[in-house]
């Protein structure tokens, strides 16, 4: 394959993140109350719970697939001594850098780079790596393995990588069983729908590793964002972590809602979000051996 075509193919899974309109909608979505009180709340607590003193104070932190830098800024605000954000999308890095204008003195550094192209610890070796919805963009085992090698290269021995990825939930027999659509009256309207890419998968009830999933989210203003990523079975993921030299400390679905969020949304809706949708979100905490 010619080099240009090969690069296009390699980046195809995450191509939306270079589209300005998509990015505007995506940014809006992740600043919605529901996202902030569930995903952001769960992940940030998950990171801190795994530290000795419930803080990132003094730690060096690398945010892989940092997007517009929401978790990168959060890590800096937690007192991390060095914070670096990496993303494939130059557009996302430009947004993150702009949002961080006042933070550069706090040590945040951004680089536009494909994680799969990290072949040496060129940004240093870190205590903690954050990888929120990154490895679900690997659409085949080789790419997933490359991403995990990059994580390993950038971590100190004994360092932790904490992340989230969509997965095929064994109990649900794949995202096919997972269809969720909720509308909240007298409040924001939100919809999550994780649907397989083809009718064929709906019929078969069994999704294979690396099958494509369309994620559809409706923002509170009614606009829709839709993107595709790639899911694997839990057993596949654990094996790949182990093969790449990691010990798995924790993994599995743990999506929860903050006490404030519970006051904002009806209880049955939050139950569906955390239990049904949450089953597809796999939080992991791994240590480099
Ligand atoms: C769902 S967004 C998550 C952004 C951010 N982590 C957050 O949670 O707000 C996924 C990000 O991963 C980036 N990405 C996907 N594949 C990548 C790769 N191979 N190397 C670096 N970044 C990648 C995309 O450009 C996108 O910004």
């Amino acid at each position: 394959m010619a080099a240009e075509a090969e690069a296009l193919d390699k980046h195809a899974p995450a191509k939306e993140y270079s589209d300005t309109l998509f990015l505007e909608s995506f940014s809006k979505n992740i600043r919605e109350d529901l996202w902030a009180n569930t995903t952001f709340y769960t992940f940030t607590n998950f990171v801190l719970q795994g530290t000795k003193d419930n803080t990132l104070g003094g730690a060096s932190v690398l945010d892989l697939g940092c997007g517009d830098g929401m978790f990168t800024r959060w890590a800096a605000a937690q007192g991390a001594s060095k914070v670096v954000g990496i993303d494939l999308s130059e557009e996302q890095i430009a947004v993150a850098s702009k949002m961080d204008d006042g933070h550069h003195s706090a040590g945040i550094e951004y680089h536009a780079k494909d994680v799969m192209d990290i072949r040496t610890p060129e940004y240093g070796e870190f205590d903690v790596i954050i990888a929120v919805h990154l490895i679900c963009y690997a659409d085949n085992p080789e790419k997933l393995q490359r991403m995990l090698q990059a994580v390993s290269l950038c971590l100190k021995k004994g360092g932790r990588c904490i992340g989230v990825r969509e997965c095929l939930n064994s109990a649900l027999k794949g995202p096919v069983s997972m269809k969720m659509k909720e509308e909240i009256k007298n409040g924001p309207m939100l919809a999550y729908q994780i649907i397989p890419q083809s009718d064929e998968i709906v019929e078969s009830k069994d999704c294979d590793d690396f099958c494509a999933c369309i994620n559809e989210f409706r923002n509170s203003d009614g606009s829709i964002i839709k993107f595709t990523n790639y899911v694997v079975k839990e057993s596949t993921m654990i094996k790949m972590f182990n093969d790449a030299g990691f010990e798995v400390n924790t993994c599995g679905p743990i999506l929860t809602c903050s006490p404030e969020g519970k006051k904002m949304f009806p209880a049955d809706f939050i139950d569906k979000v955390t239990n049904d949708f949450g089953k597809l979100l796999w939080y992991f905490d791994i240590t480099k051996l």
Side-chain angles (χ1 to χ4, degrees):
M1 207 189 292
E4 203 176 315
E6 197 175 342
L8 272 179
D9 175 59
K10 187 152 122 310
H11 297 158
K15 62 180 182 318
E16 295 100 340
Y17 293 93
S18 298
D19 173 339
T20 322
L21 280 178
F22 171 82
L23 288 180
E24 273 172 22
S25 186
F26 181 79
S27 262
K28 196 161 54 184
N29 183 271
I30 64 172
R31 284 180 184 75
E32 294 273 4
D33 284 341
L34 184 66
W35 191 91
N37 284 289
T38 54
T39 302
F40 186 81
Y41 172 80
T42 305
F43 186 74
T44 51
N45 279 321
F46 185 54
V47 173
L48 295 180
Q49 274 158 19
T51 62
K52 275 194 208 90
D53 46 4
N54 228 25
T55 161
L56 283 177
S60 50
V61 179
L62 174 65
D63 186 2
L64 291 179
C66 65
D68 72 3
M70 183 167 264
F71 290 102
T72 334
R73 287 187 293 283
W74 172 78
Q78 293 301 309
S81 57
K82 169 181 173 182
V83 185
V84 178
I86 306 274
D87 202 282
L88 176 65
S89 156
E90 287 178 10
E91 290 75 6
Q92 286 282 64
I93 289 297
V95 173
S97 306
K98 203 168 165 199
M99 292 181 86
D100 265 7
D101 271 352
H103 291 260
H104 279 298
S105 54
I108 301 184
E109 220 182 86
Y110 288 104
H111 299 277
K113 174 131 187 152
D114 186 334
V115 167
M116 291 181 279
D117 290 338
I118 298 177
R119 308 260 169 194
T120 60
E122 58 196 281
Y123 307 105
E125 289 181 334
F126 292 78
D127 299 305
V128 173
I129 291 184
I130 288 175
V132 178
H133 298 298
L134 167 75
I135 60 177
C136 48
Y137 285 97
D139 58 357
N140 65 42
E142 291 72 33
K143 287 185 190 172
L144 186 49
Q145 204 176 25
R146 275 289 323 129
M147 287 189 184
L148 296 179
Q149 279 166 356
V151 170
S152 178
L153 275 170
C154 299
L155 264 186
K156 290 179 186 166
K157 202 169 173 221
R160 290 165 65 216
C161 172
I162 305 109
V164 191
R165 68 154 304 148
E166 284 79 357
C167 70
L168 279 173
N169 183 288
S170 44
L172 288 172
K173 287 211 168 197
V176 284
S177 319
M178 172 61 206
K179 271 200 177 182
M180 178 179 165
K181 205 164 195 178
E182 281 291 318
E183 292 195 3
I184 302 177
K185 295 189 177 74
N186 306 319
M189 293 206 316
L190 295 148
Y192 291 105
Q193 197 172 20
I194 298 204
I195 49 179
Q197 200 147 36
S198 76
D199 292 345
E200 207 181 306
I201 300 177
V202 176
E203 293 308 319
S204 82
K205 286 262 192 316
D206 275 326
C207 294
D208 288 330
D209 279 340
F210 300 99
C211 78
C213 277
I214 299 171
N215 299 250
E216 197 175 298
F217 296 80
R218 189 167 68 244
N219 299 324
S220 54
D221 65 0
S223 60
I224 299 276
I225 54 162
K226 206 169 170 181
F227 52 93
T228 305
N229 50 27
Y230 301 85
V231 291
V232 296
K233 290 187 215 67
E234 292 153 319
S235 52
T236 303
M237 197 61 248
I238 290 176
K239 181 171 184 330
M240 290 192 72
F241 281 144
N242 290 335
D243 289 351
F246 294 99
E247 180 178 10
V248 179
N249 306 316
T250 315
C251 55
I254 56 162
L255 188 69
T256 46
C257 182
S258 72
E260 294 75 28
K262 285 184 181 158
K263 287 185 208 145
M264 282 177 197
F265 301 102
D268 58 342
F269 175 72
I270 286 299
D271 275 356
K272 283 207 163 141
V273 171
T274 52
N275 296 328
D276 295 355
F277 172 66
K279 274 190 186 141
L280 295 170
L281 294 180
W282 209 56
Y283 288 72
F284 58 85
D285 178 342
I286 57 177
T287 298
K288 177 175 167 177
L289 294 172

